[in-house]
PDB file of all heavy atoms in Angstrom:
ATOM      1  N   ASP K  19     -21.065  33.344 -28.538  1.00 98.00           N
ATOM      2  CA  ASP K  19     -20.626  34.282 -27.488  1.00 98.00           C
ATOM      3  C   ASP K  19     -21.836  34.477 -26.524  1.00 98.00           C
ATOM      4  O   ASP K  19     -21.678  34.388 -25.329  1.00 98.00           O
ATOM      5  CB  ASP K  19     -20.253  35.545 -28.185  1.00 98.00           C
ATOM      6  CG  ASP K  19     -19.579  36.474 -27.282  1.00 98.00           C
ATOM      7  OD1 ASP K  19     -18.703  35.996 -26.535  1.00 98.00           O
ATOM      8  OD2 ASP K  19     -19.934  37.640 -27.217  1.00 98.00           O
ATOM      9  N   LEU K  20     -22.994  34.719 -27.180  1.00 98.00           N
ATOM     10  CA  LEU K  20     -24.196  34.930 -26.358  1.00 98.00           C
ATOM     11  C   LEU K  20     -24.574  33.735 -25.451  1.00 98.00           C
ATOM     12  O   LEU K  20     -24.863  33.827 -24.326  1.00 98.00           O
ATOM     13  CB  LEU K  20     -25.349  35.249 -27.352  1.00 98.00           C
ATOM     14  CG  LEU K  20     -26.446  36.205 -26.922  1.00 98.00           C
ATOM     15  CD1 LEU K  20     -25.857  37.529 -26.514  1.00 98.00           C
ATOM     16  CD2 LEU K  20     -27.354  36.398 -28.178  1.00 98.00           C
ATOM     17  N   SER K  21     -24.473  32.572 -26.044  1.00 98.00           N
ATOM     18  CA  SER K  21     -24.819  31.364 -25.393  1.00 98.00           C
ATOM     19  C   SER K  21     -23.867  31.153 -24.157  1.00 98.00           C
ATOM     20  O   SER K  21     -24.257  30.653 -23.088  1.00 98.00           O
ATOM     21  CB  SER K  21     -24.727  30.163 -26.286  1.00 98.00           C
ATOM     22  OG  SER K  21     -25.581  30.372 -27.352  1.00 98.00           O
ATOM     23  N   ARG K  22     -22.553  31.468 -24.384  1.00 98.00           N
ATOM     24  CA  ARG K  22     -21.635  31.337 -23.350  1.00 98.00           C
ATOM     25  C   ARG K  22     -21.815  32.257 -22.214  1.00 98.00           C
ATOM     26  O   ARG K  22     -21.970  31.932 -21.051  1.00 98.00           O
ATOM     27  CB  ARG K  22     -20.192  31.473 -23.898  1.00 98.00           C
ATOM     28  CG  ARG K  22     -19.122  31.324 -22.934  1.00 98.00           C
ATOM     29  CD  ARG K  22     -17.671  31.452 -23.567  1.00 98.00           C
ATOM     30  NE  ARG K  22     -17.486  32.677 -24.267  1.00 98.00           N
ATOM     31  CZ  ARG K  22     -17.200  33.811 -23.762  1.00 98.00           C
ATOM     32  NH1 ARG K  22     -17.074  33.955 -22.485  1.00 98.00           N
ATOM     33  NH2 ARG K  22     -17.074  34.921 -24.508  1.00 98.00           N
ATOM     34  N   LYS K  23     -22.061  33.579 -22.651  1.00 98.00           N
ATOM     35  CA  LYS K  23     -22.258  34.611 -21.620  1.00 98.00           C
ATOM     36  C   LYS K  23     -23.526  34.479 -20.815  1.00 98.00           C
ATOM     37  O   LYS K  23     -23.603  34.907 -19.659  1.00 98.00           O
ATOM     38  CB  LYS K  23     -22.188  36.033 -22.290  1.00 98.00           C
ATOM     39  CG  LYS K  23     -20.810  36.395 -22.715  1.00 98.00           C
ATOM     40  CD  LYS K  23     -20.818  37.868 -23.105  1.00 98.00           C
ATOM     41  CE  LYS K  23     -19.371  38.297 -23.553  1.00 98.00           C
ATOM     42  NZ  LYS K  23     -19.469  39.124 -24.782  1.00 98.00           N
ATOM     43  N   LEU K  24     -24.582  33.942 -21.439  1.00 98.00           N
ATOM     44  CA  LEU K  24     -25.898  33.913 -20.825  1.00 98.00           C
ATOM     45  C   LEU K  24     -26.195  32.492 -20.227  1.00 98.00           C
ATOM     46  O   LEU K  24     -27.275  32.335 -19.641  1.00 98.00           O
ATOM     47  CB  LEU K  24     -26.982  34.265 -21.831  1.00 98.00           C
ATOM     48  CG  LEU K  24     -27.338  35.765 -21.940  1.00 98.00           C
ATOM     49  CD1 LEU K  24     -26.159  36.590 -22.322  1.00 98.00           C
ATOM     50  CD2 LEU K  24     -28.448  35.955 -22.987  1.00 98.00           C
ATOM     51  N   SER K  25     -25.213  31.635 -20.377  1.00 97.00           N
ATOM     52  CA  SER K  25     -25.579  30.204 -19.984  1.00 97.00           C
ATOM     53  C   SER K  25     -26.116  30.032 -18.568  1.00 97.00           C
ATOM     54  O   SER K  25     -26.999  29.255 -18.368  1.00 97.00           O
ATOM     55  CB  SER K  25     -24.310  29.321 -20.118  1.00 97.00           C
ATOM     56  OG  SER K  25     -23.242  29.748 -19.300  1.00 97.00           O
ATOM     57  N   ASP K  26     -25.634  30.885 -17.594  1.00 97.00           N
ATOM     58  CA  ASP K  26     -26.215  30.762 -16.217  1.00 97.00           C
ATOM     59  C   ASP K  26     -27.683  31.177 -16.133  1.00 97.00           C
ATOM     60  O   ASP K  26     -28.326  30.893 -15.122  1.00 97.00           O
ATOM     61  CB  ASP K  26     -25.327  31.527 -15.277  1.00 97.00           C
ATOM     62  CG  ASP K  26     -23.922  30.956 -15.053  1.00 97.00           C
ATOM     63  OD1 ASP K  26     -23.868  29.766 -15.441  1.00 97.00           O
ATOM     64  OD2 ASP K  26     -23.124  31.561 -14.470  1.00 97.00           O
ATOM     65  N   GLU K  27     -28.082  31.901 -17.081  1.00 98.00           N
ATOM     66  CA  GLU K  27     -29.461  32.460 -16.982  1.00 98.00           C
ATOM     67  C   GLU K  27     -30.480  31.592 -17.787  1.00 98.00           C
ATOM     68  O   GLU K  27     -31.623  31.928 -17.771  1.00 98.00           O
ATOM     69  CB  GLU K  27     -29.506  33.900 -17.643  1.00 98.00           C
ATOM     70  CG  GLU K  27     -28.629  34.933 -17.003  1.00 98.00           C
ATOM     71  CD  GLU K  27     -29.015  35.144 -15.548  1.00 98.00           C
ATOM     72  OE1 GLU K  27     -30.267  35.214 -15.284  1.00 98.00           O
ATOM     73  OE2 GLU K  27     -28.161  35.423 -14.675  1.00 98.00           O
ATOM     74  N   LEU K  28     -29.964  30.656 -18.470  1.00 98.00           N
ATOM     75  CA  LEU K  28     -30.834  29.911 -19.477  1.00 98.00           C
ATOM     76  C   LEU K  28     -31.091  28.500 -19.069  1.00 98.00           C
ATOM     77  O   LEU K  28     -30.246  27.740 -18.512  1.00 98.00           O
ATOM     78  CB  LEU K  28     -30.135  29.941 -20.813  1.00 98.00           C
ATOM     79  CG  LEU K  28     -29.818  31.278 -21.423  1.00 98.00           C
ATOM     80  CD1 LEU K  28     -29.098  31.095 -22.766  1.00 98.00           C
ATOM     81  CD2 LEU K  28     -31.065  32.129 -21.637  1.00 98.00           C
ATOM     82  N   PHE K  29     -32.345  28.043 -19.480  1.00 98.00           N
ATOM     83  CA  PHE K  29     -32.588  26.599 -19.458  1.00 98.00           C
ATOM     84  C   PHE K  29     -31.967  25.980 -20.629  1.00 98.00           C
ATOM     85  O   PHE K  29     -31.514  24.832 -20.560  1.00 98.00           O
ATOM     86  CB  PHE K  29     -34.079  26.415 -19.472  1.00 98.00           C
ATOM     87  CG  PHE K  29     -34.491  24.912 -19.573  1.00 98.00           C
ATOM     88  CD1 PHE K  29     -34.530  24.173 -18.385  1.00 98.00           C
ATOM     89  CD2 PHE K  29     -34.788  24.341 -20.766  1.00 98.00           C
ATOM     90  CE1 PHE K  29     -34.809  22.761 -18.473  1.00 98.00           C
ATOM     91  CE2 PHE K  29     -35.140  22.949 -20.852  1.00 98.00           C
ATOM     92  CZ  PHE K  29     -35.049  22.229 -19.687  1.00 98.00           C
ATOM     93  N   ALA K  30     -32.060  26.630 -21.860  1.00 98.00           N
ATOM     94  CA  ALA K  30     -31.484  26.059 -23.047  1.00 98.00           C
ATOM     95  C   ALA K  30     -31.425  27.194 -24.130  1.00 98.00           C
ATOM     96  O   ALA K  30     -31.993  28.250 -23.878  1.00 98.00           O
ATOM     97  CB  ALA K  30     -32.485  25.011 -23.645  1.00 98.00           C
ATOM     98  N   VAL K  31     -30.703  26.899 -25.129  1.00 98.00           N
ATOM     99  CA  VAL K  31     -30.792  27.734 -26.362  1.00 98.00           C
ATOM    100  C   VAL K  31     -31.514  26.944 -27.453  1.00 98.00           C
ATOM    101  O   VAL K  31     -31.541  25.799 -27.454  1.00 98.00           O
ATOM    102  CB  VAL K  31     -29.376  28.194 -26.896  1.00 98.00           C
ATOM    103  CG1 VAL K  31     -28.664  29.106 -25.966  1.00 98.00           C
ATOM    104  CG2 VAL K  31     -28.566  27.042 -27.315  1.00 98.00           C
ATOM    105  N   LYS K  32     -32.280  27.756 -28.204  1.00 98.00           N
ATOM    106  CA  LYS K  32     -33.079  27.179 -29.280  1.00 98.00           C
ATOM    107  C   LYS K  32     -32.572  27.636 -30.611  1.00 98.00           C
ATOM    108  O   LYS K  32     -32.464  28.903 -30.784  1.00 98.00           O
ATOM    109  CB  LYS K  32     -34.554  27.548 -29.065  1.00 98.00           C
ATOM    110  CG  LYS K  32     -35.479  26.980 -30.079  1.00 98.00           C
ATOM    111  CD  LYS K  32     -36.945  27.361 -29.791  1.00 98.00           C
ATOM    112  CE  LYS K  32     -37.295  28.740 -30.374  1.00 98.00           C
ATOM    113  NZ  LYS K  32     -37.184  28.837 -31.810  1.00 98.00           N
ATOM    114  N   ILE K  33     -32.145  26.795 -31.419  1.00 98.00           N
ATOM    115  CA  ILE K  33     -31.772  27.187 -32.843  1.00 98.00           C
ATOM    116  C   ILE K  33     -32.708  26.945 -33.882  1.00 98.00           C
ATOM    117  O   ILE K  33     -33.435  25.967 -33.744  1.00 98.00           O
ATOM    118  CB  ILE K  33     -30.342  26.682 -33.221  1.00 98.00           C
ATOM    119  CG1 ILE K  33     -30.362  25.129 -33.211  1.00 98.00           C
ATOM    120  CG2 ILE K  33     -29.248  27.247 -32.209  1.00 98.00           C
ATOM    121  CD1 ILE K  33     -29.077  24.618 -33.888  1.00 98.00           C
ATOM    122  N   ASN K  34     -32.800  27.779 -34.816  1.00 98.00           N
ATOM    123  CA  ASN K  34     -33.772  27.719 -35.931  1.00 98.00           C
ATOM    124  C   ASN K  34     -33.021  27.782 -37.256  1.00 98.00           C
ATOM    125  O   ASN K  34     -31.795  27.881 -37.266  1.00 98.00           O
ATOM    126  CB  ASN K  34     -34.802  28.840 -35.779  1.00 98.00           C
ATOM    127  CG  ASN K  34     -36.096  28.472 -36.344  1.00 98.00           C
ATOM    128  OD1 ASN K  34     -36.145  27.891 -37.475  1.00 98.00           O
ATOM    129  ND2 ASN K  34     -37.191  28.898 -35.768  1.00 98.00           N
ATOM    130  N   TRP K  35     -33.676  27.780 -38.352  1.00 97.00           N
ATOM    131  CA  TRP K  35     -33.171  27.682 -39.727  1.00 97.00           C
ATOM    132  C   TRP K  35     -32.092  28.873 -39.986  1.00 97.00           C
ATOM    133  O   TRP K  35     -31.039  28.522 -40.688  1.00 97.00           O
ATOM    134  CB  TRP K  35     -34.192  27.722 -40.790  1.00 97.00           C
ATOM    135  CG  TRP K  35     -34.832  26.327 -40.802  1.00 97.00           C
ATOM    136  CD1 TRP K  35     -36.057  25.978 -40.366  1.00 97.00           C
ATOM    137  CD2 TRP K  35     -34.246  25.177 -41.202  1.00 97.00           C
ATOM    138  NE1 TRP K  35     -36.285  24.630 -40.495  1.00 97.00           N
ATOM    139  CE2 TRP K  35     -35.172  24.089 -41.059  1.00 97.00           C
ATOM    140  CE3 TRP K  35     -32.967  24.844 -41.841  1.00 97.00           C
ATOM    141  CZ2 TRP K  35     -34.872  22.799 -41.428  1.00 97.00           C
ATOM    142  CZ3 TRP K  35     -32.676  23.522 -42.104  1.00 97.00           C
ATOM    143  CH2 TRP K  35     -33.608  22.533 -41.892  1.00 97.00           C
ATOM    144  N   PRO K  36     -32.234  30.045 -39.484  1.00 97.00           N
ATOM    145  CA  PRO K  36     -31.289  31.118 -39.832  1.00 97.00           C
ATOM    146  C   PRO K  36     -29.812  30.612 -39.481  1.00 97.00           C
ATOM    147  O   PRO K  36     -28.962  30.712 -40.348  1.00 97.00           O
ATOM    148  CB  PRO K  36     -31.687  32.335 -39.019  1.00 97.00           C
ATOM    149  CG  PRO K  36     -33.214  32.127 -38.881  1.00 97.00           C
ATOM    150  CD  PRO K  36     -33.437  30.694 -38.741  1.00 97.00           C
ATOM    151  N   LEU K  37     -29.623  30.177 -38.351  1.00 97.00           N
ATOM    152  CA  LEU K  37     -28.311  29.804 -37.871  1.00 97.00           C
ATOM    153  C   LEU K  37     -27.876  28.449 -38.513  1.00 97.00           C
ATOM    154  O   LEU K  37     -26.765  28.214 -38.991  1.00 97.00           O
ATOM    155  CB  LEU K  37     -28.267  29.620 -36.313  1.00 97.00           C
ATOM    156  CG  LEU K  37     -26.947  29.566 -35.586  1.00 97.00           C
ATOM    157  CD1 LEU K  37     -26.005  30.597 -36.051  1.00 97.00           C
ATOM    158  CD2 LEU K  37     -27.175  29.551 -34.164  1.00 97.00           C
ATOM    159  N   MET K  38     -28.858  27.524 -38.645  1.00 97.00           N
ATOM    160  CA  MET K  38     -28.558  26.184 -39.346  1.00 97.00           C
ATOM    161  C   MET K  38     -28.107  26.378 -40.727  1.00 97.00           C
ATOM    162  O   MET K  38     -27.312  25.763 -41.305  1.00 97.00           O
ATOM    163  CB  MET K  38     -29.795  25.305 -39.220  1.00 97.00           C
ATOM    164  CG  MET K  38     -30.032  24.687 -37.906  1.00 97.00           C
ATOM    165  SD  MET K  38     -28.859  23.398 -37.514  1.00 97.00           S
ATOM    166  CE  MET K  38     -29.531  22.124 -38.500  1.00 97.00           C
ATOM    167  N   MET K  39     -28.800  27.408 -41.363  1.00 97.00           N
ATOM    168  CA  MET K  39     -28.435  27.609 -42.818  1.00 97.00           C
ATOM    169  C   MET K  39     -27.059  28.120 -43.096  1.00 97.00           C
ATOM    170  O   MET K  39     -26.401  27.784 -44.017  1.00 97.00           O
ATOM    171  CB  MET K  39     -29.468  28.660 -43.409  1.00 97.00           C
ATOM    172  CG  MET K  39     -30.787  28.027 -43.696  1.00 97.00           C
ATOM    173  SD  MET K  39     -31.986  29.190 -44.258  1.00 97.00           S
ATOM    174  CE  MET K  39     -31.554  29.317 -45.994  1.00 97.00           C
ATOM    175  N   VAL K  40     -26.583  28.863 -42.119  1.00 97.00           N
ATOM    176  CA  VAL K  40     -25.150  29.423 -42.365  1.00 97.00           C
ATOM    177  C   VAL K  40     -24.100  28.492 -41.739  1.00 97.00           C
ATOM    178  O   VAL K  40     -23.031  28.451 -42.313  1.00 97.00           O
ATOM    179  CB  VAL K  40     -24.976  30.860 -41.786  1.00 97.00           C
ATOM    180  CG1 VAL K  40     -25.756  31.812 -42.633  1.00 97.00           C
ATOM    181  CG2 VAL K  40     -25.266  30.979 -40.338  1.00 97.00           C
ATOM    182  N   LYS K  41     -24.412  27.765 -40.789  1.00 96.00           N
ATOM    183  CA  LYS K  41     -23.460  26.948 -40.016  1.00 96.00           C
ATOM    184  C   LYS K  41     -23.567  25.508 -40.244  1.00 96.00           C
ATOM    185  O   LYS K  41     -22.626  24.725 -39.954  1.00 96.00           O
ATOM    186  CB  LYS K  41     -23.419  27.309 -38.515  1.00 96.00           C
ATOM    187  CG  LYS K  41     -22.479  28.338 -38.163  1.00 96.00           C
ATOM    188  CD  LYS K  41     -21.095  28.096 -38.451  1.00 96.00           C
ATOM    189  CE  LYS K  41     -20.219  27.562 -37.308  1.00 96.00           C
ATOM    190  NZ  LYS K  41     -18.747  27.488 -37.768  1.00 96.00           N
ATOM    191  N   GLY K  42     -24.744  25.009 -40.586  1.00 97.00           N
ATOM    192  CA  GLY K  42     -24.962  23.615 -40.724  1.00 97.00           C
ATOM    193  C   GLY K  42     -25.090  22.953 -39.344  1.00 97.00           C
ATOM    194  O   GLY K  42     -25.057  23.593 -38.277  1.00 97.00           O
ATOM    195  N   ALA K  43     -25.225  21.609 -39.307  1.00 97.00           N
ATOM    196  CA  ALA K  43     -25.521  20.961 -38.040  1.00 97.00           C
ATOM    197  C   ALA K  43     -24.419  20.998 -37.034  1.00 97.00           C
ATOM    198  O   ALA K  43     -24.633  20.730 -35.879  1.00 97.00           O
ATOM    199  CB  ALA K  43     -25.905  19.480 -38.404  1.00 97.00           C
ATOM    200  N   SER K  44     -23.208  21.356 -37.481  1.00 98.00           N
ATOM    201  CA  SER K  44     -22.095  21.444 -36.462  1.00 98.00           C
ATOM    202  C   SER K  44     -22.337  22.415 -35.425  1.00 98.00           C
ATOM    203  O   SER K  44     -21.788  22.232 -34.326  1.00 98.00           O
ATOM    204  CB  SER K  44     -20.799  21.732 -37.211  1.00 98.00           C
ATOM    205  OG  SER K  44     -20.804  23.002 -37.782  1.00 98.00           O
ATOM    206  N   ILE K  45     -23.169  23.415 -35.700  1.00 98.00           N
ATOM    207  CA  ILE K  45     -23.462  24.456 -34.717  1.00 98.00           C
ATOM    208  C   ILE K  45     -24.152  23.849 -33.457  1.00 98.00           C
ATOM    209  O   ILE K  45     -24.044  24.289 -32.320  1.00 98.00           O
ATOM    210  CB  ILE K  45     -24.322  25.643 -35.291  1.00 98.00           C
ATOM    211  CG1 ILE K  45     -24.443  26.778 -34.223  1.00 98.00           C
ATOM    212  CG2 ILE K  45     -25.671  25.146 -35.658  1.00 98.00           C
ATOM    213  CD1 ILE K  45     -23.127  27.561 -34.068  1.00 98.00           C
ATOM    214  N   ILE K  46     -24.846  22.691 -33.664  1.00 98.00           N
ATOM    215  CA  ILE K  46     -25.551  22.044 -32.563  1.00 98.00           C
ATOM    216  C   ILE K  46     -24.534  21.580 -31.503  1.00 98.00           C
ATOM    217  O   ILE K  46     -24.635  21.823 -30.332  1.00 98.00           O
ATOM    218  CB  ILE K  46     -26.380  20.831 -33.015  1.00 98.00           C
ATOM    219  CG1 ILE K  46     -27.397  21.224 -34.077  1.00 98.00           C
ATOM    220  CG2 ILE K  46     -27.036  20.147 -31.868  1.00 98.00           C
ATOM    221  CD1 ILE K  46     -28.136  20.120 -34.744  1.00 98.00           C
ATOM    222  N   SER K  47     -23.432  20.903 -31.951  1.00 98.00           N
ATOM    223  CA  SER K  47     -22.469  20.477 -31.042  1.00 98.00           C
ATOM    224  C   SER K  47     -21.602  21.588 -30.480  1.00 98.00           C
ATOM    225  O   SER K  47     -21.299  21.622 -29.274  1.00 98.00           O
ATOM    226  CB  SER K  47     -21.568  19.342 -31.663  1.00 98.00           C
ATOM    227  OG  SER K  47     -21.130  19.666 -32.922  1.00 98.00           O
ATOM    228  N   GLU K  48     -21.404  22.646 -31.261  1.00 98.00           N
ATOM    229  CA  GLU K  48     -20.654  23.792 -30.708  1.00 98.00           C
ATOM    230  C   GLU K  48     -21.382  24.430 -29.596  1.00 98.00           C
ATOM    231  O   GLU K  48     -20.872  24.788 -28.516  1.00 98.00           O
ATOM    232  CB  GLU K  48     -20.375  24.764 -31.868  1.00 98.00           C
ATOM    233  CG  GLU K  48     -19.283  24.249 -32.791  1.00 98.00           C
ATOM    234  CD  GLU K  48     -18.925  25.328 -33.824  1.00 98.00           C
ATOM    235  OE1 GLU K  48     -18.493  26.466 -33.518  1.00 98.00           O
ATOM    236  OE2 GLU K  48     -19.075  25.021 -34.985  1.00 98.00           O
TER     237      GLU K  48
END
Side-chain angles (χ1 to χ4, degrees):
D19 193 46
L20 213 52
S21 305
R22 182 176 55 79
K23 286 191 181 135
L24 269 58
S25 62
D26 286 348
E27 301 294 325
L28 303 177
F29 175 82
V31 294
K32 183 180 84 61
I33 59 170
N34 203 323
W35 286 106
L37 194 50
M38 285 287 282
M39 284 176 80
V40 291
K41 266 307 258 185
S44 64
I45 191 69
I46 302 170
S47 43
E48 287 184 56

